[in-house]
Amino acid sequence: MKQIDSFFTDRLRARKMTPGDLDDLASLNQNPEVMVTLGGQKSREQTLESLAALIKHFDEHGFSYWIIEDKETGVLMGRAGLRRVHIDGADEVELGYAFLPEYWGKGYATEIGKELVRIAFEEVGLSNIVCFALPENKASQRVMEKIGFLFEKECEYKELPHVFYRLTKERWQEPQDS
């Protein structure tokens, strides 16, 4: 199994999470603006558990969530990645992202999302990936659509209603209108 420890986009660096990222992730997970659409703020202990699970996921699958930093400065911007998840009765691979508010509206989620799609299909070998969000998270839905995901259905995740999108490798490979 190939592991993807780090990768770059034009403006971003993504690197594998380590136990040393706890403080940065706790800061992200305790930001009320970030977490309002991600199930609510998480305590430091919850973040520690989540970090351990994401590191284990990486060790088992070769991918997970990565820390996202400014390519030039190394400053933490957020986290994004791919992870296996059970949703609506099925096992899927989700593309997920969360950025600190000062980085919203600048195209970073779309930029990292496009590279994650490429990784999912070209390097991991997946045939499809999903994204989902709370119905009121219109910004995230716009990102999903810009990346090429199509709305598939409404569903529940962690006892909350979500909108569920999917992107297949075949659709991704179709020529896009300029």
Side-chain angles (χ1 to χ4, degrees), residues 136-161:
E136 61 269 21
N137 191 347
K138 301 300 185 193
S140 189
Q141 292 171 55
R142 279 191 301 276
V143 169
M144 294 175 201
E145 291 165 359
K146 285 181 195 175
I147 295 170
F149 285 80
L150 294 176
F151 174 80
E152 187 170 296
K153 62 186 173 181
E154 295 178 1
C155 68
E156 265 193 22
Y157 182 70
K158 295 189 177 180
E159 300 178 11
L160 292 171

Side-chain angles (χ1 to χ4, degrees), residues 3-47:
Q3 290 197 345
I4 304 161
D5 290 340
S6 65
F7 61 91
F8 296 90
T9 66
D10 288 343
R11 302 179 291 169
L12 307 172
R13 174 183 183 234
R15 63 170 179 76
K16 178 182 174 181
M17 290 184 178
T18 70
D21 292 315
L22 178 59
D23 289 342
D24 284 340
L25 286 174
S27 175
L28 182 73
N29 287 343
Q30 292 168 1
N31 184 301
E33 290 178 86
V34 172
M35 298 308 290
V36 70
T37 59
L38 296 173
Q41 292 172 272
K42 291 181 181 170
S43 69
R44 185 174 180 84
E45 181 62 32
Q46 289 171 312
T47 299

